[in-house]
Amino acid sequence: MEKFLGFLREYDYEGALITPSSNLYYLTGMAPQATEERLFLLVVNKEGESVLIAPKLYENEVEWENSVFWNDEENPYEILERVLTSLNLKSGKILVEDTMRASFLIQIERLLEDCTLHPLSGITRELRMRKDEKELSLMKKAAEIADKVFYEIISRELIGKGEKQVALEIEFLIRELADGVSFSPIVASGKNAANPHHMPGNREIRPGDFVILDFGARYKGYCSDITRTIAVGHPNEKLKEIYEVVKEAQERAFQSVREGIKAKEVDKAAREYISEKGYGEYFIHRTGHGLGLEVHEEPYISQTNERILERGMTFTIEPGIYIPNIGGVRIEDDVVVKKKGKRLTNAERELIIL
Ligand code: CO
Ligand code: CO
C-alpha cells in the first residue's frame, strides 16, 4: 500500500476506488466473498487516508480503520458522496478498479463529474509484476501442489473415464491441498486436444489418445498453471513426433529467459523452432502469460511484447501444436526470472505413456 501511494503521488492521481478484486487483496489482504450487487468499496486518497464502505453483513468479517457499514434501508451512494468530500476527492485523476461492475461505475461517475477516471491496473500491474520473496514462496507452493496432483492423477486408470470425470478428480485433488483451483481444469483427449481451451466433455479416454491436462492451484491467493500431455496406450507416431518438437521448443524458450531481455524474445525462441520444424501454422497462441494473483496477467509472452524481463517476474512458457482432426500437444511450466529463468513447476516433461 505504501508503494502504491508513492506511485499515486508520482503520477498525480488524487486517489483510488477499489472494489473486491485481486487488486484489493494485493493492497489490503481483504478478500470478501460474494459481494455481488452490494457496494463494497475502499476509497483511498493520495495522502493515504481511506474509508471502507461495505454492506452490514461484512461487519464481523472485515476490519478497516475507518469504515461505514450500510444496511438495506440506506443508499450507499449517499454515504460515498460524503466520503468523497471528506477525503477531498472531487476533481483530478482518480483510479478505478478495472473489474468494477458497470452498475457501480455509472452511479459513481455522477458523483465525480469533475474527475477523470483511469484503470487501477495502470499502477497495480507495475507493482504486481515484480514479486517479492514472500510472494515467490507462495507461488512455489502453488506450483508444487500442481506437480503433486499431476503425479497422483496419472497414477490412476484413465482409460474409460470421461474427460469431465478426470477434470473433477483433478479439482478434488487440488482442493484437498490448496485453497482452490486457479481455473477450471482442462482435460482434452484425442481430437479434442486440437482445441487449446477445450471444455471437458463426456468423451471417454481410449488407447491411442494423447491427453492434454492443464490445471492449476491457488494457494493464499497465488496461482500455478501447468500443462502436461500424456499418451494412453500405444502412441500415435505423428503425435509422438509433435511431442518432441513441443518439448524442445519449450526448453529453448526456457533457456532464453534471463533478466534484461524482452518478453517477445522468449516467444521467438519457441516459435522459431516450431516453424523450423514445419509446424508454425499450428502454434496458434502466444507462448505464455504472466502469473500471480491472477492466472493471466502481465508480462504476456507474446510476439509483440517489448516489456523487459526483470528479476521476480513470473510467467508461463507453454508452446503447443494443434492439428485439426488429429489432436494436440502442449507443455507448460511456471517460470520465475532470476539472473536466468528458474522453473517453479517440475513434473516430468519426457513423454509419459500410460
Ligand atoms: Co495452463
Ligand atoms: Co497458462
Side-chain angles (χ1 to χ4, degrees):
M1 181 61 103
E2 251 168 59
K3 270 193 208 161
F4 172 71
L5 293 170
F7 269 94
L8 285 195
R9 292 188 285 264
E10 190 178 335
Y11 293 99
D12 247 1
Y13 290 103
E14 298 302 320
L17 303 177
I18 315 171
T19 42
S21 54
S22 52
N23 284 323
L24 184 71
Y25 180 71
Y26 181 75
L27 293 170
T28 71
M30 280 192 275
Q33 298 301 302
T35 52
E36 310 286 332
E37 78 289 358
R38 308 174 192 97
L39 186 71
F40 186 114
L41 182 69
L42 181 69
V43 186
V44 187
N45 70 13
K46 63 182 175 190
E47 279 78 39
E49 297 168 304
S50 64
V51 178
L52 175 71
I53 301 171
K56 207 163 176 60
L57 75 154
Y58 293 90
E59 200 168 21
N60 298 327
E61 180 188 322
V62 293
E63 248 179 80
W64 198 253
E65 201 181 343
N66 298 305
S67 39
V68 186
F69 293 96
W70 58 275
N71 61 38
D72 280 339
E73 290 87 67
E74 288 174 295
N75 176 352
Y77 299 98
E78 284 171 12
I79 299 169
L80 175 60
E81 192 166 16
R82 292 197 295 274
V83 167
L84 291 170
T85 305
S86 74
L87 294 184
N88 203 20
L89 295 172
K90 286 310 232 178
S91 62
K93 288 158 66 185
I94 309 269
L95 292 164
V96 177
E97 163 56 33
D98 297 40
T99 61
M100 181 184 287
R101 286 189 171 216
S103 55
F104 297 159
L105 185 62
I106 289 165
Q107 303 258 24
I108 287 171
E109 272 187 313
R110 293 194 188 121
L111 303 175
L112 292 172
E113 279 176 344
D114 298 326
C115 299
T116 57
L117 306 181
H118 303 265
L120 180 63
S121 63
I123 299 290
T124 52
R125 80 166 157 247
E126 295 301 319
L127 294 166
R128 282 173 47 179
M129 223 184 317
R130 300 166 181 91
K131 272 84 177 171
D132 64 22
E133 286 305 317
K134 167 93 190 293
E135 293 179 287
L136 290 176
S137 72
L138 299 176
M139 294 208 49
K140 176 89 193 121
K141 179 79 185 165
E144 282 167 6
I145 292 168
D147 284 342
K148 225 180 197 166
V149 168
F150 173 70
Y151 287 118
E152 173 58 32
I153 200 74
I154 62 165
S155 75
R156 300 177 178 185
E157 180 63 73
L158 296 182
I159 291 175
K161 272 185 193 161
E163 294 172 343
K164 230 172 29 182
Q165 188 187 343
V166 177
L168 264 170
E169 288 182 26
I170 290 172
E171 180 152 355
F172 193 91
L173 289 167
I174 292 172
R175 284 186 183 276
E176 281 185 317
L177 299 169
D179 305 330
V181 294
S182 51
F183 59 93
S184 280
I186 296 170
V187 177
S189 65
K191 290 175 187 174
N192 291 341
N195 171 12
H197 276 175
H198 173 68
M199 161 106 76
N202 292 321
R203 185 186 182 281
E204 282 176 11
I205 294 169
R206 43 185 185 256
D209 280 353
F210 269 55
V211 185
I212 293 180
L213 306 169
D214 183 356
F215 56 88
R218 190 181 286 277
Y219 186 79
K220 295 195 198 294
Y222 288 84
C223 298
S224 59
D225 182 5
I226 191 173
T227 305
R228 290 293 183 266
T229 304
I230 52 165
V232 177
H234 188 71
N236 173 309
E237 285 305 317
K238 182 78 180 159
L239 286 168
K240 231 169 124 180
E241 178 196 317
I242 288 170
Y243 190 94
E244 293 308 314
V245 175
V246 172
K247 194 185 74 180
E248 177 63 18
Q250 206 255 9
E251 181 61 25
R252 287 186 181 210
F254 171 68
Q255 291 298 342
S256 78
V257 175
R258 57 179 54 81
E259 59 174 333
I261 68 160
K262 291 175 177 174
K264 68 176 191 181
E265 293 175 65
V266 179
D267 181 274
K268 195 174 162 205
R271 201 167 297 280
E272 266 187 1
Y273 181 74
I274 289 175
S275 298
E276 234 170 69
K277 292 289 166 184
Y279 293 104
E281 63 177 303
Y282 301 110
F283 179 19
I284 51 180
H285 53 69
R286 58 198 174 196
T287 293
H289 51 84
L291 193 66
L293 289 173
E294 306 234 27
V295 74
H296 286 181
E297 56 178 52
E298 289 273 3
Y300 292 100
I301 309 301
S302 69
Q303 282 168 276
T304 52
N305 195 355
E306 303 278 340
R307 169 75 64 179
I308 304 283
L309 298 182
E310 296 172 35
R311 269 175 201 252
M313 288 184 179
T314 48
F315 50 83
T316 68
I317 297 182
E318 51 177 310
I321 294 175
Y322 310 91
I323 304 190
N325 295 315
I326 295 182
V329 172
R330 177 167 67 255
I331 302 173
E332 171 178 34
D333 281 315
D334 304 340
V335 168
V336 54
V337 183
K338 302 273 182 183
K339 194 163 185 236
K340 291 208 65 187
K342 187 174 179 301
R343 280 186 170 99
L344 297 171
T345 43
N346 287 296
E348 181 60 59
R349 277 179 299 279
E350 295 297 325
L351 180 61
I352 293 173
I353 302 168
L354 296 179

